[in-house]
Amino acid sequence: MEHSAPKLYVEDGSVQKTGQDRTKHAVPGEGTTIDEALRWATRLFMAHRFPSPRLDAEVLLRHVLSLTRTELYVHLYEPLNAPSLSYYREMVWRRLAHEPVAYLTGKRAFYDVELRVDKNVLIPRPESEHLIDAARDWTQAQDRSSLRVVDVGTGSGALAIVLARHLLGANVWAVDISLDALRVAARNVRRYRLQDRIALICGDLLQPLSGPCDLIVANLPYIPHEEMPSLPPNVALYEPHQALDGGKRGTELIRRLLYQAAPRLARPGLLLLEIDPRQAETVTDMARHAFAEAQIRVLQDYAKHERVVEIEREK
């Protein structure tokens, strides 16, 4: 394909102009088709050893063009207009700087919902879906018409929203210490029209609440402080450290929540904590001290890692 303007090239991380095809990483110019743009971005992501280069290239281009995956492939050999091409190049450069795709597109799929996310909230992970499954399993065994549910450290509102959608008799209190995070959660709550069933509260763990809670779920920061500098760049450079740093051993907030929850968890009641698998023994020991009479179990994720500590207080 002929191009009237000189192409751009990426060499050793820099951008240069040249009129000759000296590298396979030529930045697409006028007349570039969707297919060519996808191939270009995929090659770049592969060269930088990204784990899902083709998927990243597709998701970003679908975002730029506001197309479904099927629509993208229907128009695969059509040229991109100049504004779309420019925007796509910007998205690719930002991704090459390790900015997460979820922040670039402003959304993330979780369980059966799609959530708005930005740099004020942690990107929801599939591991947290095990909290939802455990909560649903427990509530199905309860003969109760209503439940008081608390999501501690709600972030984007992921757990609160999914629980409210699936536990139809539940009223949910979603707590976070960050007002910026709660603004993101509020957008997601409004999107699913759950304002009458989810209350967003700014505060430190359970301190703003009183009275018995039937179900408490929490995905709190659990990364040991000394490990923060060694996190992957997409996490360390972009995700909020307040939502990651769990203190000296990674269990500081979990310990505090356990002792706050002990007088607040109803009978029957359930407390679910997402943990780092390395913390399973430590957290279960802490749970036994805080809840001497409760049944304590550790649930595995799909990779057979110990991921959720389940504390059940019986009637």
Side-chain angles (χ1 to χ4, degrees):
M1 179 179 296
E2 295 293 327
H3 298 287
S4 56
K7 294 181 181 179
L8 297 174
Y9 296 85
V10 178
E11 295 181 350
D12 301 324
S14 63
V15 179
Q16 303 178 5
K17 284 189 177 182
T18 178
Q20 300 178 358
D21 292 341
R22 297 189 302 168
T23 171
K24 65 182 178 180
H25 298 318
V27 175
E30 182 183 351
T32 296
T33 66
I34 288 175
D35 180 61
E36 290 168 337
L38 285 173
R39 291 175 183 273
W40 164 73
T42 301
R43 287 195 298 267
L44 274 178
F45 295 153
M46 288 178 65
H48 286 74
R49 299 184 178 180
F50 282 29
S52 52
R54 178 68 181 195
L55 179 60
D56 287 359
E58 285 190 13
V59 170
L60 291 178
L61 192 50
R62 284 173 50 199
H63 169 70
V64 167
L65 299 175
S66 299
L67 296 177
T68 66
R69 190 167 189 268
T70 299
E71 290 169 339
L72 188 74
Y73 277 87
V74 166
H75 301 284
L76 197 59
Y77 300 106
E78 296 180 9
L80 290 164
N81 61 38
S84 295
L85 184 57
S86 177
Y87 185 25
Y88 187 52
R89 287 197 297 247
E90 178 190 347
M91 292 292 100
V92 171
W93 302 143
R94 289 170 62 183
R95 181 68 186 118
L96 289 173
H98 298 283
E99 188 167 350
V101 170
Y103 289 156
L104 290 169
T105 62
K107 56 191 176 184
R108 174 74 165 198
F110 178 77
Y111 212 80
D112 58 357
V113 298
E114 183 179 82
L115 301 165
R116 298 293 183 185
V117 295
D118 63 25
K119 295 178 185 179
N120 293 302
V121 297
L122 198 70
I123 299 169
R125 267 82 167 169
E127 292 84 358
S128 300
E129 296 184 356
H130 293 281
L131 293 167
I132 301 293
D133 290 336
R136 294 182 66 187
D137 289 344
W138 180 78
T139 55
Q140 286 172 4
Q142 304 299 308
D143 184 19
R144 306 171 70 176
S145 58
S146 64
L147 288 169
R148 190 178 197 221
V149 179
V150 182
D151 173 18
V152 185
T154 193
S156 64
L159 296 175
I161 288 167
V162 175
L163 287 172
R165 282 165 53 87
H166 286 275
L167 308 180
L168 299 182
N171 289 307
V172 184
W173 282 258
V175 185
D176 204 289
I177 201 167
S178 167
L179 273 172
D180 289 330
L182 288 173
R183 291 187 183 101
V184 176
R187 291 181 62 196
N188 288 318
V189 169
R190 287 194 300 269
R191 181 179 185 184
Y192 288 98
R193 300 179 181 179
L194 292 168
Q195 301 96 310
D196 59 336
R197 295 181 51 221
I198 298 178
L200 299 172
I201 302 172
C202 187
D204 183 18
L205 304 177
L206 292 175
Q207 285 184 355
L209 303 177
S210 62
C213 308
D214 302 307
L215 171 64
I216 301 171
V217 297
N219 177 18
L220 295 173
Y222 54 66
I223 296 173
H225 180 74
E226 65 179 14
E227 295 182 13
M228 291 292 292
S230 62
L231 291 173
N234 60 300
V235 178
L237 296 176
Y238 296 97
E239 298 201 61
H241 284 201
Q242 187 179 38
L244 295 164
D245 191 338
K248 185 176 180 180
R249 294 182 175 84
T251 56
E252 180 179 318
L253 289 172
I254 292 173
R255 177 184 57 80
R256 288 180 53 217
L257 176 62
L258 284 167
Y259 285 96
Q260 286 186 17
R264 290 176 170 88
L265 188 64
R267 298 176 184 272
L270 186 71
L271 169 59
L272 295 168
L273 302 166
E274 181 176 333
I275 61 167
D276 182 318
R278 298 171 297 174
Q279 299 164 347
E281 184 176 354
T282 298
V283 174
T284 53
D285 285 344
M286 290 190 298
R288 290 189 185 99
H289 282 93
F291 293 87
E293 82 293 358
Q295 297 293 320
I296 299 169
R297 294 175 287 272
V298 180
L299 310 179
Q300 294 183 335
D301 61 20
Y302 297 127
K304 305 301 181 184
H305 298 141
E306 294 180 314
R307 183 63 62 184
V308 174
V309 173
E310 182 181 77
I311 303 163
E312 182 177 7
R313 178 175 274 168
E314 297 179 345
K315 200 167 185 177

